[in-house]
Amino acid sequence: MSFPRGSQTQKIKHPIGTRKGPLEVPPPTEKDWPKDDEQDHVLVDPDEELDSLPQPYRMINKLVNLLFDQSWEIIEERNALREAESSQIQPTVYPPLGEIQLNKMPNCMAVSQDYVFIGGAKGFSIYNLYSAKQIYAWEKLKVDVTSIWATDLGNEILIAPVDEMGIVLHLPF
């Protein structure tokens, strides 16, 4: 049986989202209120979203970002080094009071109390730190003094010259 197009008996098609009959709205209760409104809503600006670039431009973008990151790391290292240098306490520099003329090239030097101990080839010498005058010279050693260790023991000073073979020399005074 066919119905003519304008017939009243034709079925009425409802849109998908509509219901037949009256809507029932339940009364609001506190249980239905959202707990954290602010956490549920994230506002995203559609203009701030990044569009995907075509391949050659993505590669260029990655290289530029890599170059920028490496440059920034170098800048941070330099700033950290500059801050470390500026935070160090600068030692007080005193001008020289006098000059000591040496006959030979010294191998080593040590300072204790008011004396300078200088070790060289075939001996060592002791100078007053303030007057720059030689107090004692021992030049009868058969080996070169390669290092001197001197320490203050109250009224005395312990001197330990070491020769080129690593032996601590015993000096008769």
Side-chain angles (χ1 to χ4, degrees), residues 4-30:
R5 251 182 121 81
S7 169
Q8 294 293 339
T9 58
Q10 186 178 10
K11 288 188 174 182
I12 300 172
K13 292 185 178 180
H14 293 288
I16 294 174
T18 61
R19 297 182 184 176
K20 296 178 186 175
L23 291 176
E24 293 183 21
V25 179
T29 61
E30 279 189 48

Side-chain angles (χ1 to χ4, degrees), residues 98-139:
E99 184 176 332
I100 299 174
Q101 295 293 328
L102 301 174
N103 298 343
K104 300 174 186 172
M105 183 68 154
N107 292 339
C108 54
M109 198 167 84
V111 177
S112 181
Q113 286 184 359
D114 299 336
Y115 304 101
V116 176
F117 306 94
I118 299 175
K122 309 296 183 218
F124 79 97
S125 42
I126 303 171
Y127 290 87
N128 186 316
L129 190 60
Y130 301 110
S131 66
K133 293 187 179 180
Q134 186 175 15
I135 297 172
Y136 184 81
W138 184 261
E139 296 179 351

Side-chain angles (χ1 to χ4, degrees), residues 1-172:
M1 187 167 175
S2 67
F3 294 105
R5 251 182 121 81
S7 169
Q8 294 293 339
T9 58
Q10 186 178 10
K11 288 188 174 182
I12 300 172
K13 292 185 178 180
H14 293 288
I16 294 174
T18 61
R19 297 182 184 176
K20 296 178 186 175
L23 291 176
E24 293 183 21
V25 179
T29 61
E30 279 189 48
K31 289 188 275 182
D32 297 334
W33 293 355
K35 301 287 186 218
D36 297 324
D37 278 341
E38 294 176 7
Q39 291 179 357
D40 293 338
H41 300 291
V42 177
L43 299 176
V44 177
D45 187 4
D47 294 334
E48 290 182 2
E49 292 182 12
L50 296 176
D51 295 331
S52 178
L53 296 172
Q55 176 51 40
Y57 299 108
R58 281 188 296 201
M59 182 180 68
I60 293 170
N61 189 28
K62 285 181 182 179
L63 290 174
V64 169
N65 286 337
L66 177 67
L67 180 65
F68 178 76
D69 291 340
Q70 290 174 348
S71 301
W72 191 253
E73 288 175 6
I74 292 171
I75 290 169
E76 287 178 340
E77 288 174 8
R78 287 182 182 172
N79 283 341
L81 182 63
R82 193 174 299 133
E83 288 176 10
E85 287 176 356
S86 66
S87 67
Q88 290 178 350
I89 298 172
Q90 299 297 327
T92 305
V93 178
Y94 296 103
L97 298 174
E99 184 176 332
I100 299 174
Q101 295 293 328
L102 301 174
N103 298 343
K104 300 174 186 172
M105 183 68 154
N107 292 339
C108 54
M109 198 167 84
V111 177
S112 181
Q113 286 184 359
D114 299 336
Y115 304 101
V116 176
F117 306 94
I118 299 175
K122 309 296 183 218
F124 79 97
S125 42
I126 303 171
Y127 290 87
N128 186 316
L129 190 60
Y130 301 110
S131 66
K133 293 187 179 180
Q134 186 175 15
I135 297 172
Y136 184 81
W138 184 261
E139 296 179 351
K140 296 181 182 178
L141 296 175
K142 296 180 182 176
V143 292
D144 292 345
V145 176
T146 57
S147 68
I148 294 179
W149 181 74
T151 187
D152 182 16
L153 298 175
N155 293 338
E156 298 177 354
I157 299 173
L158 175 64
I159 307 166
V162 179
D163 67 5
E164 59 211 15
M165 296 182 53
I167 299 171
V168 176
L169 303 172
H170 172 40
L171 302 172

